[in-house]
Amino acid sequence: MSIVAVAHPNLALVKYWGKADTGLNLPASGSIGISLGAFSTTTRLRLEAANSGSSTWEVSINGRTQDPERFRDFFDEALKGYSGEPRHIVVASENDFPTAAGLASSASGFAALAGAVNRGLNLNLNDSDISALARRGSGSATRSVSGGFVAYPEKAASARQLHRENHWPELRCVIVQVSSGKKAVSSRKAMEASRTTSPYYPAWIEDSRKLVDQARDAIADRDLDALGPVIRRSYLRMFSTMFSADDPVMFWQEASIRVMNIAAELRKNGIAAWETMDAGPQVKIITLETQVEAVLTALEAGRSGADDWVISVSGIGSGLKVREE
Ligand code: 2P0
């Protein structure tokens, strides 16, 4: 028998960037994200007899064996709640979108892993506990356990759902993958560079509190005119802490800036199109169902023949799902 867990990446509208505690992986800034239903991670877990007196693990992502050390904090935490016989835990995870390219694959990956491990080891965790376990792998993964609109407060152990996925049915995210390459710097290293070397980092933390409150209200009111400027402030201020780090971190590519300009032009023409970016060159444009065509048309007109952009449209997705096969 194997356990199958499916989770969607969670895109931050207000960004988590910086840690209050690196050991426990607690966030210094609060964040609010949406589940991207168009992309999924599917994680299969089975248990084998242990080779030694303690439980061990092996993890592959898209068929590639991963360094087990990357998963040590996660499994150490998970195994604290396990009282059964030692096991060898075999995990195979598949993403239907690029891994480690700024599309939150670690969010969906660790949320699916936490769900699979909870069921496979009979840990009996509730959603909040699963979110806290996922955090030991990746902070943004806390938000991928619930569907819909999710808040992950400053210094909190876990994320919590603000609204279910049907709260704002018209909201859409147009994802423009301008590059399929892996990022050169991990988000973890990049946010540590911001925290430890950017003179703007304290201002970023202070300002994020306002952005969290403003975004929460705008989402409750389903008001994209109010939410859009908050989305823009959050990503641009987050990147400002990277540009001002020693050494500076630059995830943007020339094509990313072109997509930003396309969104700005759309807004001038009265189309609600608010871009955001994460730890990679991809650009995500938040818009409404009625305006998706206009956004896609502008992207087609603005891309050059040399651009091999992959464009996807996502609604708001559900939370983690776990089954046995
Ligand atoms: C987020 N991002 O809120 C932020 C905004 C990207 C920019 O990927 O160190 O991979 O594993 O906790 O969760 C957050 O980075 O970092 C992140 P760790 P994570 O989605």
Side-chain angles (χ1 to χ4, degrees):
M1 189 198 66
S2 62
I3 309 294
V4 182
V6 179
H8 301 299
N10 185 287
L11 170 70
L13 303 180
V14 174
K15 307 297 184 185
Y16 145 52
W17 197 253
K19 296 178 197 297
D21 185 313
T22 47
L24 291 172
N25 203 23
L26 296 173
S29 69
S31 57
I32 295 182
I34 50 173
S35 169
L36 292 182
F39 296 154
S40 301
T41 296
T42 301
T43 297
R44 291 188 155 73
L45 176 147
R46 62 191 160 77
L47 299 177
E48 295 182 352
N51 305 315
S52 65
S54 54
S55 291
T56 47
W57 55 88
E58 64 178 77
V59 178
S60 70
I61 300 177
N62 295 341
R64 283 175 186 245
T65 304
Q66 304 294 303
D67 177 1
E69 278 308 303
R70 172 67 183 93
F71 297 84
R72 179 165 295 284
D73 280 356
F74 175 91
F75 279 106
D76 281 351
E77 185 65 23
L79 289 165
K80 277 185 197 163
Y82 176 62
S83 50
E85 286 173 25
R87 295 290 198 167
H88 183 57
I89 303 162
V90 181
V91 176
S93 194
E94 303 280 339
N95 295 322
D96 65 6
F97 59 99
T99 302
L103 288 169
S105 59
S106 65
S108 49
F110 277 106
L113 181 61
V117 166
N118 175 48
R119 182 74 69 88
L121 297 182
N122 292 316
L123 301 179
N124 291 317
L125 303 179
N126 62 27
D127 277 2
S128 173
D129 297 333
I130 295 172
S131 172
L133 174 58
R135 185 191 87 237
R136 303 308 288 254
S138 211
S140 51
T142 57
R143 298 193 312 255
S144 272
V145 173
S146 314
F149 299 77
V150 186
Y152 179 27
E154 176 182 338
K155 297 184 185 153
S158 60
R160 65 184 173 81
Q161 189 178 54
L162 293 173
H163 305 280
R164 294 175 57 83
E165 52 267 36
N166 58 5
H167 167 70
W168 194 348
E170 301 82 15
L171 200 66
R172 292 290 180 278
C173 179
V174 177
I175 301 115
V176 189
Q177 295 174 45
V178 301
S179 161
S180 58
K182 287 204 173 191
K183 55 192 165 198
V185 187
S186 69
S187 351
R188 188 159 292 195
K189 284 205 174 117
M191 68 172 78
E192 275 301 278
S194 293
R195 182 178 74 85
T196 55
T197 66
S198 169
Y200 304 151
Y201 181 79
W204 152 254
I205 297 298
E206 184 66 30
D207 183 66
S208 309
R209 297 185 181 124
K210 274 184 238 156
L211 301 186
V212 166
D213 290 345
Q214 290 165 357
R216 196 193 300 108
D217 292 348
I219 290 168
D221 296 342
R222 300 182 197 89
D223 183 350
L224 189 51
D225 291 339
L227 181 61
V230 181
I231 293 172
R232 185 173 55 181
R233 279 181 210 123
S234 182
Y235 93 91
L236 289 175
R237 289 173 189 180
M238 172 184 78
F239 280 105
S240 300
T241 71
M242 290 183 240
F243 302 150
S244 53
D246 292 326
D247 292 329
V249 179
M250 173 53 84
F251 286 116
W252 296 4
Q253 291 181 5
E254 178 272 337
S256 320
I257 297 174
R258 245 177 321 123
V259 177
M260 286 177 197
N261 288 334
I262 291 170
E265 199 58 33
L266 281 162
R267 291 195 297 274
K268 265 195 216 155
N269 295 325
I271 307 290
W274 296 95
E275 81 283 1
T276 185
M277 290 179 65
D278 294 285
Q282 330 304 353
V283 187
K284 298 95 177 185
I285 300 175
I286 305 297
T287 188
L288 298 171
E289 188 182 12
T290 49
Q291 306 192 319
V292 166
E293 273 315 308
V295 172
L296 295 177
T297 303
L299 287 168
E300 277 312 317
R303 77 198 274 176
S304 77
D307 288 324
D308 54 353
W309 297 352
V310 179
I311 300 175
S312 325
V313 181
S314 183
I316 309 298
S318 57
L320 168 70
K321 295 209 163 60
V322 184
R323 62 178 196 271
E324 287 168 23
E325 257 180 15

